[in-house]
Amino acid sequence: MNKFRIGFGYDVHQLKEGYDFWLGGIKLEHSKGAVGHSDADVLIHVICDALLGAANLRDIGYHYSDQDPEYKGIDSKLLLADVLKMIRENGYEIGNLDTTICLQLPKVNPHIDTMKTCLAEVMAIAEEDISIKATTTEKLGFVGRQEGVSAYCVALIYKND
């Protein structure tokens, strides 16, 4: 019998000039980048949170404190790989991920296939098990004013008993 669990992740990062913009494990060319203690990859952060939540392993901030200098500027793909190690040590595998990125600019759609390839490789899962969608906020709110980026993720994990 399979045991299924779901988890949810949400994250926001401010956008500012002079920062690199990492999203879904790849660097996007843009005049602004996300600000954070790590590389501020909002998509990877929500995936980590959703997976950790599904396995009842708390959240990304609990495991990788933004007060710890070890994680300053860290590539979020390394955090994701570590989260997958924790998930698998607890007997779980990923069923699928469904994500949404909220961003006015740059346009995300041209980069989705590359992101899926990158993330699938890091997590050792099939690209078909990763859904990445993008939306603007029709120029409303902090996303619409290009002050920040947000993302959401729902993760399904399972354990074979």
Side-chain angles (χ1 to χ4, degrees), residues 93-134:
E93 285 296 330
I94 296 173
N96 73 299
L97 304 170
D98 184 22
T99 68
T100 301
I101 302 162
C102 302
L103 182 65
Q104 198 67 41
L105 288 172
K107 294 298 182 189
V108 174
N109 198 39
H111 307 285
I112 288 176
D113 289 340
T114 306
M115 289 180 198
K116 287 175 67 170
T117 299
C118 177
L119 294 171
E121 185 175 313
V122 171
M123 294 185 284
I125 64 173
E127 289 181 37
E128 69 183 24
D129 294 332
I130 304 169
S131 169
I132 300 174
K133 303 178 304 297

Coordinates of all heavy atoms in Angstrom, one line a residue, residues 93-134:
E93 N 9.5 9.2 -2.0 CA 9.9 9.6 -3.3 C 8.9 10.6 -3.8 O 7.8 10.8 -3.2 CB 9.8 8.4 -4.3 CG 11.0 7.4 -4.1 CD 12.3 8.0 -4.5 OE1 12.4 8.9 -5.3 OE2 13.3 7.6 -3.9
I94 N 9.3 11.4 -4.8 CA 8.4 12.4 -5.3 C 7.4 11.8 -6.3 O 7.8 11.1 -7.2 CB 9.2 13.5 -6.0 CG1 10.1 14.2 -5.0 CG2 8.3 14.5 -6.7 CD1 11.1 15.2 -5.6
G95 N 6.1 12.1 -6.1 CA 5.1 11.8 -7.1 C 5.1 12.8 -8.2 O 5.4 12.5 -9.4
N96 N 4.9 14.1 -7.8 CA 5.0 15.2 -8.8 C 5.0 16.5 -8.0 O 4.7 16.6 -6.9 CB 3.8 15.2 -9.8 CG 2.5 15.6 -9.2 OD1 2.0 14.9 -8.2 ND2 1.9 16.6 -9.6
L97 N 5.4 17.5 -8.8 CA 5.4 18.9 -8.3 C 4.6 19.8 -9.2 O 4.8 19.6 -10.5 CB 6.9 19.4 -8.3 CG 7.9 18.6 -7.5 CD1 9.3 19.2 -7.7 CD2 7.6 18.7 -6.0
D98 N 3.9 20.7 -8.7 CA 3.2 21.7 -9.5 C 3.5 23.1 -8.9 O 3.3 23.4 -7.8 CB 1.6 21.5 -9.4 CG 0.9 22.4 -10.3 OD1 1.4 22.9 -11.3 OD2 -0.3 22.6 -10.0
T99 N 4.2 23.9 -9.8 CA 4.6 25.2 -9.3 C 4.1 26.3 -10.2 O 3.7 26.1 -11.3 CB 6.2 25.3 -9.4 OG1 6.6 25.3 -10.8 CG2 6.8 24.1 -8.7
T100 N 4.0 27.5 -9.6 CA 3.6 28.7 -10.3 C 4.6 29.8 -9.8 O 4.8 30.0 -8.6 CB 2.2 29.1 -9.9 OG1 1.3 28.1 -10.3 CG2 1.8 30.4 -10.7
I101 N 5.1 30.5 -10.8 CA 6.0 31.7 -10.6 C 5.2 32.9 -10.9 O 4.5 33.0 -12.0 CB 7.2 31.6 -11.5 CG1 8.0 30.3 -11.3 CG2 8.1 32.9 -11.3 CD1 9.0 30.0 -12.4
C102 N 5.2 33.9 -10.1 CA 4.5 35.2 -10.3 C 5.6 36.3 -10.5 O 6.3 36.6 -9.6 CB 3.7 35.6 -9.1 SG 2.4 34.3 -8.6
L103 N 5.6 36.7 -11.8 CA 6.7 37.6 -12.2 C 6.2 38.5 -13.4 O 5.7 37.9 -14.3 CB 7.9 36.8 -12.6 CG 9.2 37.6 -13.0 CD1 9.8 38.4 -11.8 CD2 10.2 36.6 -13.5
Q104 N 6.4 39.8 -13.3 CA 6.0 40.6 -14.4 C 7.0 40.5 -15.5 O 6.6 40.3 -16.7 CB 5.9 42.1 -13.9 CG 5.1 43.0 -14.8 CD 3.6 42.6 -14.9 OE1 3.0 42.3 -13.9 NE2 3.0 42.6 -16.1
L105 N 8.3 40.7 -15.3 CA 9.4 40.6 -16.2 C 10.6 40.0 -15.5 O 10.8 40.3 -14.4 CB 9.7 42.0 -16.8 CG 8.7 42.6 -17.8 CD1 9.1 44.0 -18.1 CD2 8.6 41.8 -19.1
P106 N 11.4 39.3 -16.2 CA 11.3 38.9 -17.6 C 10.3 37.8 -17.8 O 9.9 37.2 -16.8 CB 12.8 38.4 -17.9 CG 13.2 37.8 -16.6 CD 12.6 38.7 -15.5
K107 N 10.0 37.5 -19.0 CA 9.0 36.5 -19.4 C 9.7 35.1 -19.0 O 10.8 34.9 -19.4 CB 8.6 36.5 -20.8 CG 7.8 37.7 -21.2 CD 6.5 37.8 -20.4 CE 5.7 38.9 -20.8 NZ 4.5 39.1 -19.9
V108 N 9.0 34.3 -18.4 CA 9.5 33.0 -17.9 C 9.3 31.9 -18.9 O 10.1 31.0 -19.0 CB 8.8 32.6 -16.5 CG1 9.2 31.2 -16.1 CG2 9.2 33.6 -15.5
N109 N 8.2 31.9 -19.7 CA 7.8 30.9 -20.6 C 9.0 30.3 -21.4 O 9.1 29.1 -21.6 CB 6.6 31.3 -21.4 CG 5.9 30.1 -22.0 OD1 5.8 29.0 -21.4 ND2 5.5 30.2 -23.3
P110 N 9.8 31.2 -22.0 CA 10.9 30.7 -22.9 C 11.9 29.8 -22.1 O 12.7 29.1 -22.7 CB 11.5 31.9 -23.5 CG 10.5 33.0 -23.3 CD 9.7 32.6 -22.1
H111 N 11.9 29.9 -20.8 CA 12.9 29.2 -20.0 C 12.4 28.0 -19.3 O 13.2 27.3 -18.6 CB 13.5 30.2 -19.0 CG 14.0 31.5 -19.6 ND1 15.2 31.6 -20.3 CD2 13.4 32.7 -19.6 CE1 15.3 32.8 -20.7 NE2 14.3 33.5 -20.3
I112 N 11.1 27.7 -19.4 CA 10.6 26.6 -18.6 C 11.2 25.3 -18.9 O 11.5 24.5 -18.0 CB 9.0 26.6 -18.7 CG1 8.4 27.8 -18.0 CG2 8.4 25.3 -18.2 CD1 6.9 28.0 -18.1
D113 N 11.4 24.9 -20.1 CA 11.9 23.6 -20.5 C 13.3 23.5 -19.9 O 13.7 22.4 -19.4 CB 12.0 23.4 -22.0 CG 10.6 23.2 -22.6 OD1 9.6 22.8 -21.8 OD2 10.4 23.4 -23.8
T114 N 14.1 24.5 -20.0 CA 15.5 24.5 -19.4 C 15.5 24.3 -17.9 O 16.2 23.5 -17.3 CB 16.3 25.7 -19.8 OG1 16.2 25.9 -21.2 CG2 17.7 25.6 -19.3
M115 N 14.5 25.0 -17.2 CA 14.4 24.9 -15.8 C 14.0 23.4 -15.4 O 14.5 22.8 -14.5 CB 13.3 25.8 -15.3 CG 13.7 27.3 -15.3 SD 12.3 28.2 -14.6 CE 12.7 29.8 -15.2
K116 N 13.0 22.9 -16.2 CA 12.6 21.5 -15.9 C 13.7 20.5 -16.0 O 13.9 19.6 -15.2 CB 11.4 21.1 -16.8 CG 10.1 21.8 -16.4 CD 9.0 21.6 -17.4 CE 8.5 20.1 -17.3 NZ 7.3 19.9 -18.1
T117 N 14.5 20.7 -17.1 CA 15.6 19.8 -17.3 C 16.6 19.9 -16.1 O 17.1 18.9 -15.6 CB 16.4 20.1 -18.6 OG1 15.4 19.9 -19.7 CG2 17.6 19.2 -18.8
C118 N 16.9 21.1 -15.7 CA 17.9 21.3 -14.6 C 17.3 20.7 -13.3 O 18.0 20.0 -12.6 CB 18.1 22.8 -14.4 SG 19.1 23.3 -13.0
L119 N 16.1 21.0 -13.0 CA 15.5 20.6 -11.7 C 15.3 19.0 -11.7 O 15.6 18.4 -10.7 CB 14.2 21.2 -11.5 CG 14.2 22.8 -11.2 CD1 12.8 23.4 -11.2 CD2 15.0 23.1 -9.9
A120 N 15.0 18.5 -12.8 CA 14.8 17.0 -12.9 C 16.1 16.3 -12.6 O 16.2 15.3 -11.9 CB 14.2 16.6 -14.2
E121 N 17.2 16.9 -13.1 CA 18.5 16.3 -12.9 C 18.9 16.4 -11.5 O 19.4 15.4 -10.9 CB 19.6 17.1 -13.8 CG 20.9 16.5 -13.7 CD 21.9 17.2 -14.7 OE1 21.6 17.4 -15.8 OE2 23.0 17.5 -14.2
V122 N 18.7 17.5 -10.8 CA 19.1 17.7 -9.4 C 18.3 16.7 -8.5 O 18.8 16.1 -7.6 CB 18.8 19.1 -8.9 CG1 19.0 19.3 -7.4 CG2 19.8 20.1 -9.7
M123 N 17.0 16.5 -8.9 CA 16.1 15.7 -8.0 C 16.1 14.2 -8.4 O 15.5 13.4 -7.8 CB 14.7 16.3 -8.0 CG 14.6 17.6 -7.3 SD 12.9 18.3 -7.2 CE 12.7 18.8 -8.9
A124 N 16.7 13.9 -9.6 CA 16.7 12.6 -10.1 C 15.3 12.1 -10.3 O 14.9 11.0 -9.9 CB 17.5 11.6 -9.3
I125 N 14.5 12.9 -11.0 CA 13.1 12.5 -11.3 C 12.8 12.9 -12.8 O 13.7 13.6 -13.4 CB 12.0 13.2 -10.4 CG1 12.0 14.7 -10.6 CG2 12.2 12.8 -8.9 CD1 10.9 15.4 -9.8
A126 N 11.7 12.4 -13.3 CA 11.4 12.7 -14.7 C 10.9 14.1 -14.8 O 10.2 14.6 -14.0 CB 10.3 11.7 -15.2
E127 N 11.3 14.7 -16.0 CA 10.8 16.1 -16.2 C 9.2 16.1 -16.3 O 8.6 17.1 -15.9 CB 11.3 16.6 -17.6 CG 12.8 16.9 -17.6 CD 13.3 17.4 -18.9 OE1 12.6 18.2 -19.6 OE2 14.4 17.1 -19.2
E128 N 8.6 15.1 -16.7 CA 7.1 15.0 -16.7 C 6.5 15.1 -15.3 O 5.3 15.4 -15.2 CB 6.6 13.8 -17.4 CG 6.9 12.5 -16.7 CD 6.4 11.3 -17.5 OE1 6.4 11.3 -18.7 OE2 6.1 10.3 -16.8
D129 N 7.3 14.9 -14.3 CA 6.8 15.0 -12.9 C 6.9 16.4 -12.3 O 6.7 16.6 -11.2 CB 7.5 14.0 -12.0 CG 7.1 12.6 -12.4 OD1 6.0 12.4 -13.0 OD2 8.0 11.7 -12.2
I130 N 7.4 17.4 -13.2 CA 7.6 18.8 -12.7 C 6.7 19.7 -13.6 O 7.0 19.7 -14.8 CB 9.1 19.2 -12.8 CG1 10.0 18.3 -12.1 CG2 9.2 20.6 -12.4 CD1 11.4 18.5 -12.3
S131 N 5.8 20.4 -13.0 CA 5.0 21.4 -13.7 C 5.5 22.7 -13.3 O 5.5 23.0 -12.1 CB 3.5 21.2 -13.4 OG 2.8 22.3 -13.9
I132 N 5.9 23.6 -14.3 CA 6.2 25.0 -14.0 C 5.3 25.9 -14.8 O 5.3 25.8 -16.0 CB 7.7 25.2 -14.3 CG1 8.7 24.3 -13.5 CG2 8.0 26.7 -14.1 CD1 10.1 24.5 -13.9
K133 N 4.6 26.7 -14.1 CA 3.7 27.6 -14.8 C 4.2 29.0 -14.4 O 4.8 29.2 -13.3 CB 2.3 27.4 -14.4 CG 1.8 26.0 -14.7 CD 0.3 25.8 -14.2 CE 0.0 26.0 -12.8 NZ 0.7 25.2 -11.8
A134 N 3.8 30.0 -15.2 CA 4.2 31.4 -14.8 C 3.0 32.3 -15.1 O 2.2 32.1 -16.0 CB 5.4 31.8 -15.6

